Amino acid sequence: MRPESEADYATPLMTADLVILSIREGVLHVLLVKRGTEPYLNRYALPGGFVHHDEQIIAAARRELQEETGLDDPSMPLEAIGYYDALDRDPRGRVITFSFLSVTATMPAPYAHRSSDVRIAVWKPVAPMLGEDSRLAFDHVAILRDAVYVARDRLQYTTLATRFLPEEFTIAELRAVYEAVWGFELDRANFHRKVKDAREFIVETGDVRVGSEGRLGRPAKLYRAGEGSALVSPILMTLPAGGED
C-alpha cells in the first residue's frame, strides 16, 4: 500500500441548511427560499449557505437565516439534526452540509431579498414538499423529511410543542400543534388528560379566553409553557383506530 499524501485527502466545502417549521392556519409550514443563481435557478430550497473560514457552523446558519429570510432572533434555538455528504449532492463540487431544525410561533411576511443568491423567502405547506414530485433543490427533500421526522418524535418526549405557540395558549391550541405536525386528529379528552398529567409541561396563567374552542359562552383556560424540557409522561404518536401509517 502506497503512503498517503496530501492529495489523498478531501478538502470539501461546508454549508449549513436550516429547516424552520411553523404552523399557519392549522397547517405545518416550512420556510423556503427561491434561488436566484445556478445551480437550481428559480427552484425552492431550504435557507442556508457556505460556512466562512472564520466562523463556526451554527454562526453561519444564523447569518444565512437572517440574510436570506429576514428572521433575526439570536434566542431562536437551532438543533443540529445531522450531516449530508453524498459525493454528488452538489453539482458545484464536494460539499458537506450540516442541517439544523427550529420551530417558531412567529410568522413574518415573505421577505423579498434583493441579493443575487435569493429572490424571495416564503412559507410553504410541508406535505407537498415531501411528495415524490417535490422539486426542492439539492437533497433538501431528504433533509426536510429527516427534520420533520425529528420534530414529530420530539413532540412525544419533549415540550417542543409549546414553541409553536404564542406566550399564552389554550389546550385546544396545543392539541392543534400535535395534529398539524403528526397529520391526524387526536381524541380531545385523552389528550387533555395526558397534558395535565405531564409535569412542568404547561402552567395555568389564571386567565381565560371567552368564546374559544367552539363552545358558546364558555371561557377556556389559558396556559403558558412550564419549566420542563422533557415529558416525564410521554405523549405517544398513536394513530387513531382505523388510521394508516
Side-chain angles (χ1 to χ4, degrees):
M1 181 176 181
R2 65 181 177 83
E4 294 181 336
S5 66
E6 290 186 7
D8 294 313
Y9 294 100
T11 54
L13 296 173
M14 292 189 298
T15 56
D17 287 311
L18 299 106
V19 178
I20 310 299
L21 301 177
S22 194
I23 294 174
R24 188 171 195 172
E25 297 179 353
V27 176
L28 184 65
H29 281 63
V30 61
L31 189 60
L32 298 176
V33 297
K34 179 176 281 190
R35 290 182 56 78
T37 59
E38 294 288 2
Y40 303 107
L41 176 66
N42 290 326
R43 293 266 289 273
Y44 284 110
L46 298 170
F50 288 101
V51 179
H52 293 168
H53 73 278
D54 59 349
E55 67 181 346
Q56 294 181 308
I57 296 172
I58 194 167
R62 292 191 183 279
R63 172 180 54 76
E64 289 288 343
L65 183 62
Q66 192 281 324
E67 291 177 356
E68 295 188 348
T69 73
L71 266 180
D72 186 15
D73 182 1
S75 65
M76 176 185 289
L78 295 181
E79 179 183 357
I81 297 301
Y83 67 89
Y84 299 79
D85 65 347
L87 298 180
D88 60 349
R89 64 169 305 275
D90 193 317
R92 293 168 294 188
R94 184 73 191 279
V95 180
I96 298 175
T97 198
F98 296 82
S99 64
F100 295 87
L101 168 67
S102 189
V103 305
T104 179
T106 304
M107 293 293 295
Y111 179 79
H113 194 76
R114 298 187 182 279
S115 78
S116 61
D117 294 330
V118 169
R119 296 193 184 281
I120 194 170
V122 294
W123 290 98
K124 291 282 190 180
V126 165
M129 298 299 108
L130 299 178
E132 293 297 328
D133 58 348
S134 175
R135 299 186 70 248
L136 290 183
F138 305 103
D139 52 358
H140 289 186
V141 173
I143 296 174
L144 175 59
R145 187 177 293 121
D146 291 347
V148 170
Y149 176 88
V150 169
R152 288 171 174 167
D153 185 63
R154 294 287 189 273
L155 290 192
Q156 298 186 99
Y157 303 104
T158 77
T159 59
L160 176 70
T162 59
R163 291 188 0 223
F164 281 99
L165 295 165
E167 185 174 350
E168 294 186 349
F169 51 86
T170 67
I171 289 184
E173 290 167 340
L174 181 63
R175 187 182 71 250
V177 168
Y178 279 83
E179 293 177 338
V181 178
W182 286 351
F184 57 85
E185 293 185 2
L186 302 175
D187 180 83
R188 294 186 179 188
N190 190 41
F191 180 80
H192 190 284
R193 176 184 58 79
K194 290 181 178 180
V195 167
K196 296 305 292 286
D197 287 346
R199 298 200 309 267
E200 299 185 322
F201 185 11
I202 60 174
V203 178
E204 290 188 30
T205 66
D207 296 324
V208 297
R209 184 179 297 157
V210 178
S212 65
E213 305 190 26
R215 300 175 182 179
L216 296 177
R218 183 173 179 178
K221 292 181 180 179
L222 287 172
Y223 298 81
R224 59 174 174 80
E227 298 296 326
S229 58
L231 295 179
V232 177
S233 300
I235 299 176
L236 298 180
M237 184 177 170
T238 304
L239 286 168
E244 297 180 357
D245 292 336

